[in-house]
Amino acid sequence: MKIEWIEDFLELIEAGTFSQAAERRHVTQPAFSRRIRQLEEWLGVALIDRRSPRLELTAHARTYEPQLREWLARLYAMRSRLRSDARQGPRAILTTQHTLTVSYLPRLLRHLRHHAPEVGLQITSSDRSVCIRDFEQGKADLLLCSELEGAPLFDDSTTIERLALGAERLLPVCAPDHHGGPLHPLEQGQRLPLIGYDTDSFLGQALATPYLLDAQRRYEIELVCETAFTIGIRQLALAGLGIGWLPHGLIEEDLESGKLVSLLDTLGGPQLVVACYRHRDEQRAAAPLWHLLEERPPAV
């Protein structure tokens, strides 16, 4: 079996016809058709319903198309990692939550590139709970995450080391009106359109008390949307659809440009700490980055 056969099959799905797919793959149509048949022979099943006057996939092809795409993507990703490791040597794996991937991680990578360009690093981004699980299971060398001030993830651990990189406030914000003030004024008894976090999420729990509790006592809450994605909350707030709490590092430019207005004085917000964790054994790949962060971490 050749990888190009799977690429041909996926291209055929995208193109919609054999002739156009063959053109995109820079082969003749007979040669392209032959490679599709070779893939079918290797798999032992038909992928194309040739009784149909137009291109029609068989049930097996429709069922397994996503898995073929995933397999091909994984294969190429593995090839890229192998080549990178061969050029740069072993790389540390850092896992971090989606919000920090957008806000803090770019600063960290620029800092690393400037001060230690020889250090190899692989980034994985996921939900906070998944990042913590992967770190605990040894699938990542470093964990970069947000936590509530005074509530570290791994407290007094003998096997895990913690490094606090800085603090940032979770700010309540909304879009401005024509005069630059809050689009949604906060007056006693006023309806409060809220863009909230899932109650089971880290930020949802951080806001539950006293901030959301106080808001519910003072205002009539209208829940516009509930999500775990800070990027989505930012976009909805920018669109003027409501008030949401967002990490300062994510919206710093929005506040400076006036695209968002802070309501911190009225609604308040918890203090978050950006922290990095590693397993205490001196992993060869992770140690240089860790020591760099100990000496001069980029500002949060």
Side-chain angles (χ1 to χ4, degrees):
M1 199 279 290
K2 297 181 179 179
I3 295 175
E4 67 182 14
W5 297 348
I6 295 178
E7 293 175 331
D8 289 338
F9 172 64
L10 297 177
E11 188 64 62
L12 177 60
I13 296 173
E14 297 295 330
T17 66
F18 274 83
S19 59
Q20 192 169 354
E23 183 179 345
R24 291 184 182 182
R25 296 289 289 163
H26 307 291
V27 297
T28 64
Q29 184 172 334
F32 183 85
S33 298
R34 185 164 56 252
R35 286 175 6 183
I36 295 296
R37 285 192 180 277
Q38 286 174 315
L39 176 60
E40 291 176 316
E41 290 171 4
W42 186 84
L43 291 172
V45 296
L47 299 174
I48 308 299
D49 184 357
R50 291 176 174 79
R51 298 170 299 180
S52 175
R54 55 192 181 88
L55 181 67
E56 191 74 37
L57 300 182
T58 63
H60 288 101
R62 289 194 299 271
T63 300
Y64 286 94
E65 177 200 346
Q67 294 181 41
L68 286 172
R69 291 185 183 277
E70 181 183 2
W71 177 84
L72 193 62
R74 286 179 179 272
L75 185 64
Y76 278 122
M78 183 184 67
R79 185 182 70 172
S80 298
R81 288 195 295 269
L82 283 170
R83 289 178 174 178
S84 179
D85 287 348
R87 289 193 302 267
Q88 304 176 7
R91 293 184 298 168
I93 299 175
L94 182 146
T95 184
T96 187
Q97 62 204 72
H98 294 305
T99 304
L100 291 178
T101 303
V102 179
S103 60
Y104 184 69
L105 186 62
R107 259 174 283 174
L108 175 61
L109 293 180
R110 285 194 297 269
H111 184 78
L112 177 62
R113 181 174 296 177
H114 178 71
H115 294 286
E118 73 286 353
V119 174
L121 185 63
Q122 176 184 335
I123 309 294
T124 63
S125 177
S126 191
D127 292 338
R128 184 174 182 271
S129 58
V130 175
C131 294
I132 295 170
R133 182 199 66 197
D134 287 349
F135 176 73
E136 289 178 318
Q137 293 178 354
K139 296 179 182 178
D141 304 306
L142 300 167
L143 168 65
L144 182 68
C145 67
S146 295
E147 51 192 26
L148 275 176
E149 189 174 48
L153 273 174
F154 305 99
D155 196 13
D156 297 327
S157 173
T158 57
T159 59
I160 296 175
E161 193 171 358
R162 176 180 181 269
L163 187 62
L165 302 177
E168 65 176 347
R169 182 75 63 179
L170 199 62
L171 298 175
V173 295
C174 71
D177 59 18
H178 295 299
H179 304 289
L183 182 62
H184 306 285
L186 301 177
E187 300 174 1
Q188 198 74 19
Q190 182 78 18
R191 183 179 64 88
L192 184 74
L194 182 67
I195 309 165
Y197 291 96
D198 289 341
T199 54
D200 293 333
S201 68
F202 164 67
L203 294 180
Q205 294 171 358
L207 286 167
T209 179
Y211 306 101
L212 281 179
L213 186 60
D214 288 346
Q216 289 166 342
R217 287 170 175 164
R218 295 161 59 189
Y219 308 101
E220 180 185 346
I221 298 294
E222 176 194 352
L223 189 60
V224 176
C225 177
E226 193 174 68
T227 178
F229 295 105
T230 52
I231 305 301
I233 291 180
R234 173 180 173 270
Q235 290 301 117
L236 293 173
L238 285 169
L241 297 177
I243 297 169
W245 273 265
L246 291 165
H248 178 265
L250 182 65
I251 55 172
E252 189 171 1
E253 293 183 3
D254 297 325
L255 293 170
E256 291 177 355
S257 65
K259 293 179 180 179
L260 290 175
V261 178
S262 173
L263 303 169
L264 181 65
D265 291 343
T266 307
L267 296 176
Q271 183 91 335
L272 303 178
V273 174
V274 177
C276 190
Y277 289 90
R278 73 162 178 171
H279 301 282
R280 283 190 182 274
D281 56 317
E282 281 276 309
Q283 293 130 324
R284 184 180 58 176
L289 174 58
W290 183 264
H291 296 321
L292 177 63
L293 291 177
E294 283 182 314
E295 294 171 5
R296 51 170 94 172
V300 173

